[in-house]
Amino acid sequence: MKMLRHVAALILFALPAHAAVDIKQVTSPGGITAWLVEEHEIPFTALEIRFQGGTSLDAHGKRGAVNLMTATLEEGTGEMDAQGFANARDSLAASYRFEAGTDSVAVSARFLSENRDQAVDLLRQALVAPSFEQSAVDRVKGQVQSILQSDAQDPNAIAARIFDTETFGDHPYATSGNGTADSVAALTRDDLVAAHKAAITRERIYVSAVGDISEAELGKLLDDLLGDLPETGAALPDAAPWNIKGGVTVHDFPTPQSVVYFGHQGIKRDDPDFFPAYVLSEILGGGRFTARLMDELRGKRGLTYGAYAYLAPMDHAELLVGRFATANATVGQAIDVVREQWSKLATEGVTQAELDATKTYLTGSYPLRFDSNAAIANILVGMQMEGLPIDYALTRNEKVEAVTLDDVRRVAARVLRPDDLHFVVVGQPEGLEQ
Amino acid sequence: MPTRLPALLALSLTAAPALAQDVTDFTLENGMEVVVIEDHRAPVVTNMVWYRTGSADEPPGESGIAHFLEHLMFQGTNTMEPGEFSSTVDAQGGSDNAFTSYDYTAYFQRVAADRLDLMLSMEADRMRNLTLSEDIVANERNVVLEERSQRVDSDPSSIFSEQQRAAQFLNSPYGIPIIGWRAEMEQMDRDDALRFYRTYYAPNNAVLVVAGDVTPDAVLEMAKKHFGKLEPSDLPVRLRPQEPPQLSERRMEYADPRVAQPYVMRSYLAPERNPGDQQKAAALTVLAEYLGGSPTTSVLARALQFGPDAPAVYTSAYYDGTAVDQTTFNLAVVPRPGLSLDDAEAAMDAALDQFLKGGIDPEAFARIMTQVRAGEIYARDDSDGLARRYGAALAVGLTVEDERDWPQVLQSVTPEQVMEAAREVFDKRRAVTGHLLQEEAAE
C-alpha cells in the first residue's frame, strides 16, 4: 500500500495569530489532491468539489444537458429511486448540493463525523452511478422548464441574456447554461449519460475539505469517493469572441423601473495588472456607499437603490460589467452618470484618499472571510481553480498593498473604455436614444 | 466551551439534551439586554443592535417610516458626518448593514474582533444622537422609493404577496408592507422619522447581540462603557390592534403580464411562539417541514410532483413562528404546464385531506427529527446565524431561555401534536387563497 503523501503549508494571517488557518495539501494513495484545514471543534466536515468545465461542455445542439444531468444526480442510484436516495441522505443528516455553473460543476457536501463513511458512500453512488431514470429526468426537466419560463420574464435575466447573446457569438457563453425550452425538451436520457461522461471526471477536479477529519481520513475519502470516476472527459471550449460594441440596447418590458446591465471587456485573472484593476473596480463599483457609482447614483442623486460594477474573469472570457435599476424616467440621466464616471476615472484616475481607504477595506476584510468551515472550504476550492499557490492567503494582502496611485491611473486608462460601454436596458425608458 | 458531545450518539432517536451553545446574557442598569455567543475559531465578531420596533409599530398612515428611519440611521449624528458610520466600518475592513421587519429593526457589523469597541461606541452614538438634514431626507426618500420599485413593483410575485398579506390580516398591522405603501412613503418627512426615532430608539428597547471571538466579560465591560451611560426612555406599551375572529374565507386573483409561472398560494392565520409556551409553534414548524420541507420526500412533493401526470412542478410549505402577534402558515403549488390553477388547488386540497385522514408516517417523522438534531451541530458553524436567531427571538419578546430551549422543544414534538396543530390551523375561514396568473397580452 502506498503511503499517504502530503505537503503542509502553514498559512498565518497578519491578524491575530491564534486564528491561523493551517492549509495542508493532501494527496490520496490513488493520486487525487485536496486542500485540507483540520478543525475538530464541531463534529462535521464541509467538502467542496469542482469539476472544471461546467455547462460550457455541452455538446453541440445539447444546450442544457450538463445542467439537467447535474440536477438529476440526486434523483436515484442503484436500487434507490429519488425518494429512496433522499430518505437515505436525510437519515444520515447529510446534505449534498449539486450545481452546474458556467465553468464548473460544483458539489458541496457536509456530513457528520459519526456516519462519515456512509454519507460519503451515498454521495459516491450519486456521483459515479446515477440512474438517470426516465421519470426522474422528466420530472427535473419540468423544473428546469419552469426556471426558464421565470427567467424569460425576469428583467435581470433578460438583460444579462441580451448582453451575452450580442457578445459571445456561437460560444456556449452566449446562451443560458440551463438551455432553451426547445433544447431542454429534446434532451434524452442518453444525452445525460453523455454529459455525465463529459463533465464528471478526474481530469480537472479540485477538492477542499474543512472540519473534523484528519489527513489520512481525507486521503482515504478521496479515493473512496472519486477513485471510480473516469480519468478524462470532454475538451474545454476555446476562448469566446467579443462581438458587442459600445451603445445602448432597449428591450421593451412593461415595468415602472428599468433594469440596466452594462459593461465591456475586462481583464484576465492572471494579467499582471489584475490587482490594480481589482482595486480600481472596487473604487468604481463596489458595494460600499463611498464607491463612485453608488455615491453618484444613490448617495448624491437618489436615482437607485444600488449600483454596482465588478470584474468577472471567467475561463474563456473576461468581463467588466455592472447593473442598477432606476425609474423609467431617469434611465438616460443615470446612464450619463455612469459614462461620466467611467471617463473621469479613465482620464484622472482615483484620489490617494480613495486608494488608501479601499486598500484598508480590502486588506481588512480578507481575513474576515475565513470564518466558518463552509466558508473556508469554498475559498480553498476557489483558490485552486484560479491556479493560486497554497500560500496565497499569506501574500494576497501584500499584493493589494503594493498597488500605487500610478498603477491605478495606468490601469484605469487601459481597462476603462467609456466608448466601448454597452448598456442593455430592460423596461420602458423615456427619452433614451438607441 | 461547547459540550463535546456525548449527545452525538443520540442521533439515534432517543431524546437527547439540547446541544449546549456558549450563550451568555445580562441586562444593563438602563434596561438594555446583552447576549454574547462565543465562537473562538476565527478572530471575527458579528455585532448586532436590535430594536424592538418595526413596521407593525408605525403610526397609522405612516407606513414605511420604520424602514425609512433604518436608512437614515446611516446619515450622521452630532459627531459623525453622513455616511461616516459605514466608511469607518469599511476602513476597519468590516462590513455593515441593517434590516427592518414587522417586529424589529436591526443594525449589524462584521469586523475583526479587536474592533468591537469602536463598533459599540458608534452604535451607542446613533442610538441617541441622530441628526438629519432636509436634503439628506429628501434624497434618501427617493432611494427607498426606488427600493420599493425594485423589490415590489418590478416583481409580480411580490405584488401578489403584498396583496395577499393585506387580505390575510383584517386588523393587525402585519397586513401593511414593511417598505410601506407608495403614497404614504412619498409623504414621509424628517419630523416623522425623528418622531419614530425618539419614541422607540432607546437602550431599554434594544438588544445587543455579539457573536464570535469575544468573552462575555469583555463585552459586558464595553457595553457598560458605551451604552450604560444612556438614559432609558418611557416606552409605549407594545399593544397592537389584534385580529378579530376570522370567519370568512378569502380568495383572490392577481394577473400581470410579467408573470412567467402561475401558482397557487394559500396562507392560514397561525399562532406564534410565546415565552415559555412554544410547543404549538414547534409543532407547526415540524408540520411545515413534513408537508413541504423536502422537494422529494415531503407530503406535498410525494402527492403532487411524482407520477405520470403529476399536477405540480414545485410545492412548498412555510412557517416561521418568531413574531409578536399571530402570523401565517403558507402553502404554495406551482402547477405543471397546462394545468389550471383551480385544478392545482384541488390537488393540493386533496393531498391535505389525505394527510389529515392518514396521519403521520413514523419513519418520515423520525428522519425529520434526525435532521432537526443534526441542524444544531451544523448551526454551530454559523455564529452569525446564531446571532440572528437570538436577536430575533429577544426582539419579539421571547427570552434567551426560550431560544436556547427551542431546538429541544422541536425535538420533543410528537406526531400527535403535529396532527393536532394541522387540524387547528387548516381552517379555510382563516385563510386566503391566491391565484397568481399571467395576464394575456390580448386582454
Side-chain angles (χ1 to χ4, degrees), chain B residues 132-191:
Chain B
L132 297 172
S133 76
E134 291 288 357
D135 283 354
I136 289 227
V137 170
N139 188 76
E140 207 60 32
R141 189 171 47 232
N142 288 335
V143 171
V144 293
L145 284 165
E146 288 295 335
E147 184 180 355
R148 187 187 152 90
S149 297
Q150 186 172 328
R151 285 185 193 280
V152 184
D153 304 323
S154 295
D155 177 3
S157 336
S158 296
I159 296 172
F160 174 59
S161 308
E162 195 176 84
Q163 297 284 319
Q164 181 158 19
R165 261 190 97 88
Q168 175 70 68
F169 293 100
L170 303 175
N171 201 36
S172 160
Y174 284 170
I176 299 169
I178 297 165
I179 198 156
W181 299 115
R182 180 173 290 275
E184 292 181 1
M185 294 171 71
E186 285 166 345
Q187 302 301 318
M188 299 184 300
D189 66 19
R190 179 174 178 275
D191 288 347

Side-chain angles (χ1 to χ4, degrees), chain A residues 18-19 40 83 87 93 112 114 139 146 149 153 254 257 298-299 302 305 327 360-361 365 371-374, chain B residues 4 8 11 41 43 90-91 93 110 139-140 146-147 150-151 213 258 260-261 297 302 305-306 367 378 381:
Chain A
H18 63 268
H40 297 285
Q83 294 178 2
N87 288 341
L112 302 170
E114 65 176 87
R139 189 159 34 79
S146 168
Q149 276 180 45
Q153 293 290 322
Q257 187 189 47
R298 173 175 163 155
Y305 177 51
T360 315
Y361 167 70
S365 61
D371 67 346
S372 68
N373 293 359
Chain B
R4 212 170 270 268
L8 262 199
L11 263 187
R41 294 175 302 151
D90 294 345
R110 187 112 177 106
N139 188 76
E140 207 60 32
E146 288 295 335
E147 184 180 355
Q150 186 172 328
R151 285 185 193 280
D213 189 19
R258 297 168 295 176
Q261 180 66 78
T297 55
R302 275 184 290 134
Q305 291 178 235
F306 285 81
R367 280 192 294 270
Y378 295 130
D381 196 38

